[in-house]
Structure formats: structure tokens, C-alpha cells
Amino acid sequence: MTLALTSPEAQIAPDGARLLLVDDHLLLVETLQMSLIHAGFNVSVAPCGSFDEVLAEAAAVQPTLVVLDLDLQGAGFGYDLIGPLRELGAEVLVLTGTTDRMELARCLEAGALGVASKANGLLADLDAHRRAADRRKAPFEALSARERDVLRQIVEGHQAAAIAKASFVSLATVRTQIRSILLKLDVTSQVAAVAMARQGGWFDTVAEEAAR
């Protein structure tokens, strides 16, 4: 369940607002930072080693809005930062994975502008990961079934002559298929094609299919 609790006076921060992210989950905070910058916000990331570090960064940045992780591993419980951050003139939006409504209500009572669930961020990360994987595998969709089989054997370490012998075709035919593979993958060598197949996850998928 996604929670989106807000205080009565909650407002959306305007474009160009100064935002400070306080979260010790690197992947999440970097993804959120890029998304907010793209949306027109001025975004900084605070060090999360201690309360003093967070407050010092907030004092230096003078953010309009602080997006605060409720459970900071290094600094302790983020709830205790809400008051001091508010005293520095910032609104505070709590970002959390907890579904404990009493804890979330305490954040609003302490002055938080609202509470947002980390579930949205995690789903966004998963979606971005899948889209990136799809982009890496897209060039291989242009390969014919025979070309995919030849590439699989090349990745497995087989030479062109061995592939030709096992397939009962001429060496010239296999070399033509290899040239076609390189052209479709937009690489200039078999080494590059092998690296692309392994790094993009294509080979793992094909190897599993061949083993069935």
C-alpha cells in the first residue's frame, strides 16, 4: 500500500525550489536527485553520518524543502531531525518504507509537510532497471535464429571452423553469418560481440533457453 499522508497546510514545492535530500540509500537518492533536477529543482544531497552533518548541510544550503529518510542508519531516527530542520526555515517531507500509521502521524505532529512511501521509488528503480536491460538486449532482436545460434557458440568459445563442422555448412557460410552478426550489433570484432552478449544479459537468456 502506498501512503501519502500530508498536513493540512501542505503545498507542492514550486519549480526552482532548493531541495535537500537526506537519505543513506545511495541508489534511491541518486535516482530521486536526477528526477528532481530534470523537473527543474535545485537539488543537493546531505551527508548522513550524523545529525550534525545533516544540520550543517541544511544551514549551508538553506533549502526550501528537505526530503528526509525516516530511518537513517548513520544518524539514527530521522524523526528527531524534523524540528531542527523546521527551525532552519525548511519544510520537511518524510520519505519512508514504514507503514506504521502512528509513526507517520508523529512525523506530521512534529511539523512534517507530508509523508511519502519509498515503495514508489523502489518500483521506479525496478522499472528503470528493466528498461535498461531491454535497451541492452534490443540489438540482438535483429539477429536471425541461425545468427543467434552462431553467436551463442562464439560466446561459448567455439571457432568458426568448429561451428561450420558441427552445423554441416561451409566455413565461408559461417564467416558470412559472423559478418552479419557484427553488422547488426554495430561492432567491429567478435571480441566486442562476445562482450556485448555477456554484459547485456543476452547470452544468459539464450543459454538457459538452449539448456531446456
Side-chain angles (χ1 to χ4, degrees), residues 165-195:
K165 183 177 181 180
S167 305
F168 302 102
V169 298
S170 69
L171 178 58
T173 296
V174 172
R175 285 176 173 167
T176 298
Q177 291 165 342
I178 292 173
R179 285 195 295 271
S180 178
I181 292 168
L182 300 184
L183 180 64
K184 290 179 179 179
L185 297 183
D186 195 25
V187 294
T188 57
S189 70
Q190 293 183 44
V191 172
V194 168

CSV table of all heavy atoms in Angstrom, one decimal, residues 165-195:
chain,number,residue,atom,x,y,z
A,165,LYS,N,31.7,-27.1,-39.0
A,165,LYS,CA,31.7,-28.6,-39.0
A,165,LYS,C,30.5,-29.2,-38.2
A,165,LYS,O,29.8,-30.1,-38.7
A,165,LYS,CB,33.0,-29.1,-38.4
A,165,LYS,CG,33.1,-30.6,-38.4
A,165,LYS,CD,34.5,-31.0,-37.8
A,165,LYS,CE,34.6,-32.6,-37.8
A,165,LYS,NZ,36.0,-33.0,-37.3
A,166,ALA,N,30.2,-28.6,-37.1
A,166,ALA,CA,29.0,-29.1,-36.3
A,166,ALA,C,27.7,-28.8,-36.9
A,166,ALA,O,26.7,-29.5,-36.7
A,166,ALA,CB,29.1,-28.4,-34.9
A,167,SER,N,27.7,-27.8,-37.8
A,167,SER,CA,26.4,-27.4,-38.4
A,167,SER,C,26.3,-28.0,-39.9
A,167,SER,O,25.2,-27.7,-40.5
A,167,SER,CB,26.3,-25.9,-38.5
A,167,SER,OG,26.4,-25.3,-37.2
A,168,PHE,N,27.3,-28.6,-40.3
A,168,PHE,CA,27.3,-29.2,-41.7
A,168,PHE,C,27.1,-28.2,-42.8
A,168,PHE,O,26.4,-28.4,-43.7
A,168,PHE,CB,26.2,-30.3,-41.8
A,168,PHE,CG,26.3,-31.4,-40.8
A,168,PHE,CD1,25.5,-31.4,-39.7
A,168,PHE,CD2,27.3,-32.4,-40.9
A,168,PHE,CE1,25.6,-32.4,-38.7
A,168,PHE,CE2,27.4,-33.4,-40.0
A,168,PHE,CZ,26.6,-33.4,-38.9
A,169,VAL,N,27.8,-27.0,-42.5
A,169,VAL,CA,27.9,-26.0,-43.6
A,169,VAL,C,29.3,-25.6,-43.8
A,169,VAL,O,30.2,-26.0,-43.1
A,169,VAL,CB,27.1,-24.7,-43.1
A,169,VAL,CG1,25.6,-25.1,-42.9
A,169,VAL,CG2,27.7,-24.1,-41.9
A,170,SER,N,29.5,-24.8,-44.8
A,170,SER,CA,30.9,-24.4,-45.2
A,170,SER,C,31.4,-23.4,-44.2
A,170,SER,O,30.6,-22.6,-43.6
A,170,SER,CB,31.0,-23.9,-46.6
A,170,SER,OG,30.3,-22.7,-46.7
A,171,LEU,N,32.7,-23.2,-44.1
A,171,LEU,CA,33.4,-22.2,-43.3
A,171,LEU,C,33.0,-20.8,-43.8
A,171,LEU,O,32.8,-19.9,-43.1
A,171,LEU,CB,34.9,-22.4,-43.3
A,171,LEU,CG,35.7,-21.4,-42.5
A,171,LEU,CD1,35.3,-21.3,-41.1
A,171,LEU,CD2,37.2,-21.7,-42.6
A,172,ALA,N,32.9,-20.7,-45.2
A,172,ALA,CA,32.6,-19.4,-45.8
A,172,ALA,C,31.2,-19.0,-45.3
A,172,ALA,O,30.9,-17.8,-45.1
A,172,ALA,CB,32.6,-19.5,-47.3
A,173,THR,N,30.2,-19.9,-45.2
A,173,THR,CA,28.9,-19.6,-44.8
A,173,THR,C,28.9,-19.1,-43.4
A,173,THR,O,28.2,-18.1,-43.1
A,173,THR,CB,28.0,-20.9,-44.9
A,173,THR,OG1,27.9,-21.3,-46.2
A,173,THR,CG2,26.6,-20.6,-44.3
A,174,VAL,N,29.6,-19.7,-42.5
A,174,VAL,CA,29.7,-19.3,-41.1
A,174,VAL,C,30.3,-17.9,-41.0
A,174,VAL,O,29.9,-17.0,-40.2
A,174,VAL,CB,30.5,-20.3,-40.2
A,174,VAL,CG1,30.7,-19.7,-38.8
A,174,VAL,CG2,29.7,-21.6,-40.1
A,175,ARG,N,31.4,-17.7,-41.8
A,175,ARG,CA,32.0,-16.4,-41.8
A,175,ARG,C,31.1,-15.3,-42.3
A,175,ARG,O,31.1,-14.2,-41.7
A,175,ARG,CB,33.3,-16.4,-42.6
A,175,ARG,CG,34.4,-17.2,-41.9
A,175,ARG,CD,35.7,-17.3,-42.8
A,175,ARG,NE,36.8,-17.8,-42.1
A,175,ARG,CZ,37.9,-18.3,-42.7
A,175,ARG,NH1,38.0,-18.2,-44.0
A,175,ARG,NH2,38.9,-18.8,-41.9
A,176,THR,N,30.3,-15.6,-43.2
A,176,THR,CA,29.3,-14.6,-43.7
A,176,THR,C,28.3,-14.3,-42.6
A,176,THR,O,27.9,-13.2,-42.4
A,176,THR,CB,28.5,-15.2,-44.9
A,176,THR,OG1,29.5,-15.4,-46.0
A,176,THR,CG2,27.4,-14.2,-45.4
A,177,GLN,N,27.9,-15.4,-41.9
A,177,GLN,CA,26.9,-15.2,-40.8
A,177,GLN,C,27.5,-14.3,-39.7
A,177,GLN,O,26.9,-13.5,-39.1
A,177,GLN,CB,26.5,-16.5,-40.2
A,177,GLN,CG,25.6,-17.3,-41.2
A,177,GLN,CD,25.5,-18.8,-40.8
A,177,GLN,OE1,26.3,-19.3,-40.1
A,177,GLN,NE2,24.5,-19.4,-41.4
A,178,ILE,N,28.8,-14.5,-39.4
A,178,ILE,CA,29.5,-13.8,-38.4
A,178,ILE,C,29.6,-12.3,-38.8
A,178,ILE,O,29.4,-11.4,-38.0
A,178,ILE,CB,30.9,-14.3,-38.1
A,178,ILE,CG1,30.8,-15.7,-37.4
A,178,ILE,CG2,31.7,-13.4,-37.2
A,178,ILE,CD1,32.1,-16.4,-37.3
A,179,ARG,N,29.9,-12.0,-40.1
A,179,ARG,CA,29.9,-10.6,-40.5
A,179,ARG,C,28.6,-10.0,-40.4
A,179,ARG,O,28.5,-8.8,-40.0
A,179,ARG,CB,30.4,-10.6,-42.0
A,179,ARG,CG,31.9,-10.8,-42.2
A,179,ARG,CD,32.3,-10.4,-43.6
A,179,ARG,NE,31.7,-11.2,-44.6
A,179,ARG,CZ,32.2,-12.4,-45.1
A,179,ARG,NH1,33.4,-12.8,-44.6
A,179,ARG,NH2,31.6,-13.0,-46.0
A,180,SER,N,27.5,-10.7,-40.6
A,180,SER,CA,26.2,-10.2,-40.5
A,180,SER,C,25.9,-9.9,-39.0
A,180,SER,O,25.2,-8.8,-38.7
A,180,SER,CB,25.1,-11.2,-41.0
A,180,SER,OG,23.8,-10.7,-40.9
A,181,ILE,N,26.3,-10.7,-38.1
A,181,ILE,CA,26.1,-10.5,-36.7
A,181,ILE,C,26.8,-9.2,-36.3
A,181,ILE,O,26.2,-8.4,-35.6
A,181,ILE,CB,26.7,-11.7,-35.9
A,181,ILE,CG1,25.8,-13.0,-36.1
A,181,ILE,CG2,26.7,-11.4,-34.4
A,181,ILE,CD1,26.4,-14.2,-35.6
A,182,LEU,N,28.1,-9.1,-36.7
A,182,LEU,CA,28.8,-7.9,-36.3
A,182,LEU,C,28.1,-6.6,-36.8
A,182,LEU,O,28.1,-5.6,-36.1
A,182,LEU,CB,30.3,-8.0,-36.8
A,182,LEU,CG,31.1,-9.1,-36.3
A,182,LEU,CD1,32.5,-9.0,-36.8
A,182,LEU,CD2,31.1,-9.2,-34.8
A,183,LEU,N,27.6,-6.7,-38.0
A,183,LEU,CA,27.0,-5.5,-38.7
A,183,LEU,C,25.7,-5.2,-37.9
A,183,LEU,O,25.5,-4.0,-37.6
A,183,LEU,CB,26.6,-5.8,-40.1
A,183,LEU,CG,25.9,-4.7,-40.9
A,183,LEU,CD1,26.9,-3.5,-41.0
A,183,LEU,CD2,25.5,-5.2,-42.3
A,184,LYS,N,24.9,-6.2,-37.5
A,184,LYS,CA,23.6,-5.9,-36.9
A,184,LYS,C,23.9,-5.4,-35.4
A,184,LYS,O,23.1,-4.6,-34.9
A,184,LYS,CB,22.8,-7.1,-36.8
A,184,LYS,CG,22.2,-7.5,-38.2
A,184,LYS,CD,21.4,-8.8,-38.2
A,184,LYS,CE,20.8,-9.1,-39.6
A,184,LYS,NZ,20.0,-10.4,-39.5
A,185,LEU,N,24.9,-5.8,-34.8
A,185,LEU,CA,25.2,-5.4,-33.4
A,185,LEU,C,26.1,-4.1,-33.4
A,185,LEU,O,26.3,-3.6,-32.3
A,185,LEU,CB,26.0,-6.5,-32.7
A,185,LEU,CG,25.2,-7.8,-32.4
A,185,LEU,CD1,26.1,-8.8,-31.6
A,185,LEU,CD2,23.9,-7.6,-31.8
A,186,ASP,N,26.5,-3.7,-34.6
A,186,ASP,CA,27.3,-2.4,-34.7
A,186,ASP,C,28.6,-2.5,-34.0
A,186,ASP,O,29.0,-1.6,-33.2
A,186,ASP,CB,26.4,-1.2,-34.3
A,186,ASP,CG,27.0,0.1,-34.7
A,186,ASP,OD1,27.8,0.1,-35.7
A,186,ASP,OD2,26.8,1.1,-34.0
A,187,VAL,N,29.3,-3.6,-34.1
A,187,VAL,CA,30.6,-3.8,-33.5
A,187,VAL,C,31.5,-4.3,-34.6
A,187,VAL,O,31.1,-4.7,-35.7
A,187,VAL,CB,30.6,-4.8,-32.4
A,187,VAL,CG1,29.8,-4.3,-31.2
A,187,VAL,CG2,30.0,-6.2,-32.8
A,188,THR,N,32.8,-4.2,-34.3
A,188,THR,CA,33.8,-4.5,-35.4
A,188,THR,C,34.6,-5.7,-35.2
A,188,THR,O,35.5,-6.1,-35.9
A,188,THR,CB,34.8,-3.3,-35.5
A,188,THR,OG1,35.4,-3.0,-34.2
A,188,THR,CG2,34.1,-2.0,-35.9
A,189,SER,N,34.3,-6.4,-34.1
A,189,SER,CA,35.1,-7.7,-33.8
A,189,SER,C,34.2,-8.7,-33.1
A,189,SER,O,33.3,-8.3,-32.4
A,189,SER,CB,36.4,-7.4,-33.0
A,189,SER,OG,36.0,-7.0,-31.7
A,190,GLN,N,34.6,-9.9,-33.1
A,190,GLN,CA,34.0,-11.0,-32.4
A,190,GLN,C,34.1,-10.8,-30.9
A,190,GLN,O,33.2,-11.1,-30.1
A,190,GLN,CB,34.5,-12.4,-32.8
A,190,GLN,CG,34.2,-12.7,-34.2
A,190,GLN,CD,34.6,-14.1,-34.6
A,190,GLN,OE1,34.5,-15.1,-33.8
A,190,GLN,NE2,35.3,-14.3,-35.8
A,191,VAL,N,35.3,-10.2,-30.5
A,191,VAL,CA,35.5,-10.0,-29.1
A,191,VAL,C,34.5,-9.0,-28.5
A,191,VAL,O,33.9,-9.2,-27.4
A,191,VAL,CB,37.0,-9.4,-28.8
A,191,VAL,CG1,37.2,-9.0,-27.4
A,191,VAL,CG2,38.0,-10.5,-29.2
A,192,ALA,N,34.2,-7.9,-29.3
A,192,ALA,CA,33.3,-6.9,-28.9
A,192,ALA,C,31.9,-7.5,-28.9
A,192,ALA,O,31.1,-7.2,-28.0
A,192,ALA,CB,33.3,-5.7,-29.8
A,193,ALA,N,31.6,-8.4,-29.8
A,193,ALA,CA,30.2,-9.0,-29.9
A,193,ALA,C,30.0,-9.9,-28.6
A,193,ALA,O,29.0,-9.9,-28.0
A,193,ALA,CB,30.1,-9.8,-31.1
A,194,VAL,N,31.1,-10.7,-28.3
A,194,VAL,CA,31.0,-11.5,-27.1
A,194,VAL,C,30.8,-10.7,-25.8
A,194,VAL,O,30.0,-11.0,-25.0
A,194,VAL,CB,32.3,-12.4,-27.0
A,194,VAL,CG1,32.4,-13.1,-25.6
A,194,VAL,CG2,32.4,-13.4,-28.1
A,195,ALA,N,31.6,-9.6,-25.7
A,195,ALA,CA,31.4,-8.7,-24.5
A,195,ALA,C,30.0,-8.2,-24.4
A,195,ALA,O,29.4,-8.1,-23.3
A,195,ALA,CB,32.5,-7.6,-24.6
